[in-house]
Amino acid sequence: MAVDITEQKRLEKQMRELSTAMENAVEGISRLDINGRYIFANKAYAAPLLYEPDDLIGSGWEKTVHPDSMEEIREAFDTMLREGKGMAEVRSIRRDGQIFYKEVTMVPCYDDELGERTGHFCFMREISDRKMQEENLRISQLRLQEAQAIAHLGSWEYDIPTGQIAWSDELYRIFGVEATPENRKKFGMEQYIQLLKEEDRPLILACIDQCTQRGTPYEVDHRIRRVSDGSIRVLCGRGRGIVDADGCVLKIIGTAQDVTEQKQVERELIAAKEEALEASRHKSAFLRNMSHEVRTPINGITGMTSLLLQTPLTPEQAEYANGIRTSASVLLTVVNDILDFSKVEAGKIELEKIPFKISDVVTDVVRMTGCLAEPKGLSLAVDVGDSAGDSDVIGDPNRLSQILINLTSNAIKFTEKGQVTIRVRRISSIRKSPTVHGDPSRSVSPSPVFTNSPPEFPSTTNETPPNGKGSKPSMTFLFEVIDTGIGISSDAQKKLFLPFSQADSSTTRKFGGTGLGLSICKSLVTLMDGTIEVTSEEQKGSRFYFILEFPVLRRRKLCGGSRSITPMPTSQASGSASDDPAGLIGPAASPPYSPVNGRPGSMRSSRTSTSSQLSVGGAPPLTDAEKKQLRVLVVEDNDTNRLICKKMLQKSGYERIVLVRNGKECVELVESKLEERAAAKVNGGDLVVTDVRDGVFDVVLMDCQMPFMDGYEATRHIRSRSLLPTYTPIIALTANALEGDREKCLESGMDWFLTKPIVMEELDQMVRAAVWEGRRRKEVTMRPFVKETDGGKPFEGKTSTDEPISNHSPRIPPNGDMYSKCTTQSI
């Protein structure tokens, strides 16, 4: 009997093909019986478990599932029985114990004949990478939410086609809205706009509109009203557009940060800054007024004492007068220290950069301090090396002089016997022990009474450019002030450069002082990029030393000549000890005058260098006849100071002196004089000048602080209305010595600067220099200038005395050298 098995063979073939496909499928496939034991598993199913397929046959599924995921597997199995398919993401255990994530899908299998379930298929995919990414994303979102909560920064996304707006949880909190699913669905752009303050809505809508149209990013502060409590909060909103490939804006994403507290802090800081600035202004005004109120009576005391000492006095009366003069000098020193400290504290000290010689400064210091050493029988020695003293450098000789005067005065004050030495050396290197330039065998060692050497300092290059080609050559100098005085204890040295500090209370009582001198020295040296130190031993003496670096003065030719710029030699200075009858040129005292760079325009610092004084003191003398003919106008509100000026001028030989009490009287007097002269000229009088203003007054001494109209306003009035010719010098008389006072004088149109208290010889020198400078400027102004295209013929046009002389007026340099006679610069 033959049986047709074709169908059977076909089915067997299909089963083999299906089995082969299952075994080689990429996805893991297994079949379990009704009891949950494996009866089939392909390679893709067994491989993640680190098993061979045959190793799983007969074993239960429990050994491949982590205990924590048993519940999820059973729930998926029950779902499969109810719905025909069950899915779960579970943790699984590899053969080596490692844990990984897998996604399983279970479907039942049945016996076709009996209709009973015979087991189920399980399809598996490893999802460890996906789970890790999801976990990282979850952590990042948590961190973002935490960061947003900390920064009060919420994010949002506005979908332009749908009009839907999605907010972060923090943004809901900022707006005082609960982040419920219902609120997330209903909250759109309209609700957001309604929460904006009405005043801020146009600005926000304009920003959003521009961003919607062109994707323009924006950042703007605006206010909202919170839903929960109705409070007003300040937000910093930022947004930018997201565009597609065609450049169309699809959505806007942005952030909103609650900056209410930050804005409050900013307002408080601004208010605090304004308060501080106002306090600083009040402090400056107080110091300015204090300077004026203190210096004004000091001027009266010293001026009257100076005049008194020129009258016949008994020895006893002369002793009393000298005592008054000395006390005034000490008081002036204290005032200067306080003002200097205030300027240092406020950071308002600016350093000059002018050419000078170290030796000139030291000579000036010795002249000023020698009168202190002589009464005590002290020897004041000077040791300035040739390479140091002859060097032409650029810097601020005034401040260098101030430092040396303070240190030398202190040394004299605390030394009862022996000597005080001022020593200056040019050094080539200060990283190791400094050596004297030109003699490596000689080190710059401390005074013999000490065993310790100077501390190390940064190295400095001398004469050669430190930074290669194009850098300015410089020189480094070691300045020392050495005494054989009482010395300083090691504990006291630690606080020596602090303001208001003294070595101890006993020295304060015995020697006096404000405790500001060394603090000022420290600040000035630091400002000049130097260092200052002290070595001392009690009862043996002290050594203060500081190191400064100055650029070397470059030689250059002027107007085709070969003359170089050099300061005037000290021998030409006119400031000898006899030039100080009032005894006010002393430690920390301010030379009270300064030509404004030799011209109207730039006031010098209150402490002028020797070279600056030379340009005033070195002016040609005036004959007695010339002095008698000069018309001098004194504008001063203080009766005593007005009298002092008059008497000092008279004793100096000036007779035609006019006194007024304030700026208003000054302007009215000048105007009346001009009217008289104009009327006399019209009526055919004997007035022969072409300009009625010429000779009204030859010099004006103008006090700065006066009632009704101060000196600044009066000067501005005179200059702006051309009441006096531009070449008529106006000398500022001021008791102020703060930074900015000279600039204020300059801006008002004053030409020279004389600081109170006034000394007769200095007043005479100032008037004399101002007169000669006025004559020179008048000559240049009135001189017809020559056009180069006219073949040397004088220009025939009008040359007014009020015409700016910037085109043909030389400037006197600050050091008094007339090298600029060849140049023409603006006055």
Side-chain angles (χ1 to χ4, degrees):
M1 181 176 77
V3 179
D4 188 356
I5 59 172
T6 303
E7 184 65 22
Q8 178 182 347
K9 292 295 185 179
R10 186 182 65 80
L11 292 175
E12 288 178 355
K13 180 179 179 182
Q14 287 181 348
M15 290 295 294
R16 288 195 301 272
E17 291 175 352
L18 180 59
S19 176
T20 301
M22 291 175 63
E23 288 178 358
N24 294 283
V26 176
E27 188 172 8
I29 303 174
S30 66
R31 181 176 178 178
L32 295 89
D33 60 18
I34 196 68
N35 296 317
R37 297 184 180 277
Y38 290 105
I39 58 177
F40 171 79
N42 68 354
K43 295 179 180 179
Y45 188 93
L49 297 169
L50 302 183
Y51 285 99
E52 293 294 331
D54 293 341
D55 295 336
L56 296 175
I57 303 303
S59 62
W61 58 269
E62 292 87 351
K63 76 173 186 177
T64 61
V65 177
H66 193 278
D68 294 345
S69 298
M70 290 296 183
E71 188 64 28
E72 288 90 340
I73 287 291
R74 291 191 175 93
E75 288 179 1
F77 185 80
D78 293 341
T79 302
M80 178 197 71
L81 295 180
R82 291 192 311 271
E83 302 176 4
K85 182 179 179 181
M87 298 182 66
E89 293 181 357
V90 298
R91 300 169 70 191
S92 188
I93 302 176
R94 305 186 197 272
R95 190 171 190 174
D96 60 0
Q98 291 185 3
I99 298 173
F100 70 99
Y101 284 91
K102 66 181 180 180
E103 179 187 77
V104 294
T105 303
M106 293 179 284
V107 294
C109 54
Y110 295 90
D111 187 326
D112 292 338
E113 295 181 359
L114 301 177
E116 297 178 353
R117 187 179 67 83
T118 58
H120 66 274
F121 284 101
C122 180
F123 302 91
M124 181 192 75
R125 286 190 304 161
E126 184 174 356
I127 58 172
S128 297
D129 292 341
R130 194 190 80 189
K131 278 293 185 181
M132 183 177 296
Q133 292 173 0
E134 290 176 354
E135 180 65 14
N136 291 337
L137 179 61
R138 185 186 68 83
I139 294 174
S140 296
Q141 290 176 337
L142 288 175
R143 289 175 177 171
L144 177 61
Q145 292 176 3
E146 184 178 357
Q148 287 186 347
I150 293 173
H152 303 294
L153 177 70
S155 58
W156 54 271
E157 181 177 317
Y158 173 52
D159 189 274
I160 296 176
T162 64
Q164 292 296 316
I165 186 168
W167 285 10
S168 67
D169 291 345
E170 179 60 21
L171 194 56
Y172 278 105
R173 190 200 65 76
I174 290 173
F175 276 80
V177 179
E178 190 176 352
T180 61
E182 182 181 356
N183 285 336
R184 291 181 184 276
K185 290 180 181 178
K186 74 177 184 180
F187 224 83
M189 182 60 72
E190 291 184 5
Q191 289 75 18
Y192 163 67
I193 297 298
Q194 291 302 316
L195 293 178
L196 296 173
K197 283 281 288 182
E198 292 184 5
E199 298 87 344
D200 298 342
R201 284 179 191 171
L203 177 61
I204 296 298
L205 289 175
C207 291
I208 293 177
D209 182 62
Q210 292 224 1
C211 193
T212 302
Q213 297 297 325
R214 295 185 287 273
T216 307
Y218 67 87
E219 178 177 340
V220 61
D221 291 343
H222 59 284
R223 294 164 295 170
I224 64 157
R225 186 179 298 278
R226 297 187 80 226
V227 175
S228 58
D229 55 13
S231 63
I232 302 299
R233 308 296 291 178
V234 181
L235 305 186
C236 176
R238 301 177 180 87
R240 65 183 182 89
I242 303 298
V243 299
D244 60 12
D246 297 327
C248 297
V249 182
L250 299 177
K251 63 176 66 175
I252 303 175
I253 60 173
T255 61
Q257 185 176 16
D258 189 341
V259 293
T260 306
E261 285 75 19
Q262 178 182 337
K263 291 297 180 182
Q264 179 63 28
V265 171
E266 287 178 2
R267 286 192 292 271
E268 292 174 356
L269 288 175
I270 291 173
K273 180 182 178 182
E274 288 299 324
E275 274 185 47
L277 290 175
E278 185 65 18
S280 178
R281 285 191 287 268
H282 285 310
K283 178 182 176 182
S284 297
F286 168 76
L287 290 172
R288 187 170 286 106
N289 291 332
M290 186 198 74
S291 173
H292 180 269
E293 295 301 324
V294 174
R295 283 174 178 267
T296 297
I298 291 178
N299 184 59
I301 296 171
T302 57
M304 287 298 186
T305 306
S306 178
L307 294 172
L308 179 62
L309 287 170
Q310 295 184 38
T311 63
L313 298 175
T314 66
E316 184 179 9
Q317 291 171 334
E319 182 181 1
Y320 295 158
N322 280 314
I324 296 173
R325 181 181 62 180
T326 303
S327 297
S329 178
V330 172
L331 179 58
L332 182 62
T333 300
V334 173
V335 172
N336 287 334
D337 279 348
I338 294 174
L339 294 176
D340 273 341
F341 176 73
S342 300
K343 288 188 285 187
V344 169
E345 190 180 44
K348 292 184 177 180
I349 288 185
E350 295 183 1
L351 298 177
E352 288 185 312
K353 293 183 179 179
I354 61 176
F356 69 97
K357 285 183 182 290
I358 300 293
S359 58
D360 291 345
V361 174
V362 174
T363 301
D364 195 32
V365 170
V366 172
R367 181 180 64 83
M368 290 186 174
T369 57
C371 57
L372 301 176
E374 185 178 355
K376 301 180 71 172
L378 299 177
S379 171
L380 184 56
V382 178
D383 182 8
V384 180
D386 293 340
S387 60
D390 295 338
S391 303
D392 293 328
V393 296
I394 298 176
D396 193 331
N398 309 316
R399 296 302 177 184
L400 176 59
S401 175
Q402 183 179 355
I403 297 167
L404 288 172
I405 287 174
N406 271 327
L407 295 180
T408 306
S409 300
N410 273 351
I412 294 172
K413 181 195 300 184
F414 295 104
T415 302
E416 296 298 331
K417 59 181 180 178
Q419 74 173 20
V420 173
T421 303
I422 303 174
R423 185 164 64 184
V424 184
R425 287 291 183 272
R426 179 178 153 203
I427 56 178
S428 58
S429 176
I430 46 178
R431 183 174 297 280
K432 300 177 182 178
S433 296
T435 57
V436 178
H437 184 76
D439 188 356
S441 63
R442 294 177 56 200
S443 63
V444 183
S445 59
S447 180
V449 298
F450 308 116
T451 56
N452 51 329
S453 299
E456 294 183 357
F457 295 93
S459 61
T460 304
T461 304
N462 291 269
E463 287 192 306
T464 56
N467 299 320
K469 186 177 180 180
S471 300
K472 292 183 178 180
S474 62
M475 295 182 184
T476 305
F477 298 90
L478 173 67
F479 299 86
E480 302 170 276
V481 177
I482 307 166
D483 66 66
T484 57
I486 62 175
I488 308 167
S489 67
S490 56
D491 291 336
Q493 292 179 39
K494 297 176 183 178
K495 59 181 181 180
L496 201 58
F497 294 102
L498 299 178
F500 307 106
S501 294
Q502 296 276 1
D504 57 49
S505 58
S506 63
T507 58
T508 304
R509 289 193 298 270
K510 181 177 180 181
F511 297 99
T514 61
L516 293 175
L518 291 179
S519 174
I520 294 171
C521 289
K522 173 77 170 179
S523 299
L524 292 177
V525 170
T526 302
L527 190 63
M528 298 166 78
D529 295 326
T531 54
I532 183 170
E533 298 291 343
V534 60
T535 57
S536 182
E537 189 174 338
E538 289 187 272
Q539 304 306 320
K540 291 188 177 181
S542 303
R543 171 180 174 268
F544 287 83
Y545 58 95
F546 59 97
I547 295 180
L548 294 177
E549 181 180 0
F550 295 104
V552 176
L553 180 62
R554 297 189 180 210
R555 305 277 178 171
R556 61 189 178 96
K557 295 183 179 180
L558 296 168
C559 303
S562 60
R563 185 171 179 174
S564 61
I565 308 173
T566 55
M568 188 178 293
T570 307
S571 59
Q572 298 179 25
S574 60
S576 63
S578 61
D579 293 329
D580 184 25
L584 293 178
I585 301 180
S590 301
Y593 57 80
S594 169
V596 192
N597 278 347
R599 63 166 184 95
S602 57
M603 300 297 173
R604 300 288 300 273
S605 62
S606 60
R607 300 176 191 275
T608 4
S609 66
T610 304
S611 57
S612 295
Q613 299 177 37
L614 295 175
S615 61
V616 175
L622 296 171
T623 64
D624 293 340
E626 286 177 318
K627 286 186 175 183
K628 290 178 181 180
Q629 292 301 316
L630 287 176
R631 298 173 178 86
V632 182
L633 174 61
V634 178
V635 188
E636 169 66 67
D637 64 313
N638 185 274
D639 295 338
T640 303
N641 287 341
R642 199 164 55 247
L643 176 61
I644 290 172
C645 280
K646 179 181 177 181
K647 292 297 183 182
M648 285 184 175
L649 289 170
Q650 288 176 340
K651 286 184 176 291
S652 298
Y654 304 94
E655 294 184 356
R656 305 181 70 176
I657 304 165
V658 178
L659 306 177
V660 294
R661 292 173 294 184
N662 55 62
K664 185 173 181 294
E665 290 186 4
C666 169
V667 173
E668 291 174 350
L669 175 63
V670 174
E671 288 177 338
S672 65
K673 290 283 188 183
L674 292 178
E675 291 175 0
E676 293 175 4
R677 285 173 155 243
K681 187 174 182 180
V682 170
N683 296 329
D686 57 355
L687 187 67
V688 296
V689 296
T690 58
D691 188 342
V692 295
R693 303 169 306 166
D694 189 19
V696 172
F697 291 106
D698 299 293
V699 179
V700 179
L701 300 175
M702 181 77 72
D703 188 27
C704 292
Q705 287 187 262
M706 295 177 291
F708 303 110
M709 181 186 289
D710 61 28
Y712 307 114
E713 184 62 28
T715 303
R716 280 192 290 267
H717 201 82
I718 291 171
R719 294 305 191 199
S720 63
R721 296 182 57 191
S722 299
L723 298 182
L724 292 175
T726 56
Y727 50 76
T728 299
I730 298 179
I731 302 172
L733 300 180
T734 179
N736 294 335
L738 292 178
E739 202 72 30
D741 294 325
R742 291 154 187 78
E743 288 73 14
K744 193 173 180 181
C745 293
L746 160 66
E747 291 169 359
S748 68
M750 298 181 187
D751 306 298
W752 302 73
F753 193 88
L754 189 59
T755 304
K756 298 175 182 177
I758 299 171
V759 179
M760 186 169 69
E761 281 72 14
E762 293 168 347
L763 176 61
D764 181 35
Q765 291 177 5
M766 175 63 73
V767 172
R768 190 176 69 212
V771 168
W772 278 107
E773 174 63 12
R775 290 176 178 177
R776 186 191 63 79
R777 289 166 56 191
K778 178 181 178 181
E779 178 185 353
V780 174
T781 303
M782 301 300 294
R783 181 191 309 149
F785 64 92
V786 178
K787 285 186 177 181
E788 293 181 1
T789 58
D790 290 343
K793 295 181 179 180
F795 178 62
E796 301 298 336
K798 179 181 179 181
T799 304
S800 169
T801 55
D802 286 329
E803 179 187 353
I805 54 179
S806 59
N807 294 328
H808 42 75
S809 177
R811 169 194 275 177
I812 296 179
N815 63 2
D817 184 20
M818 294 303 294
Y819 74 94
S820 60
K821 286 180 179 178
C822 303
T823 65
T824 56
Q825 302 185 31
S826 171
I827 288 185

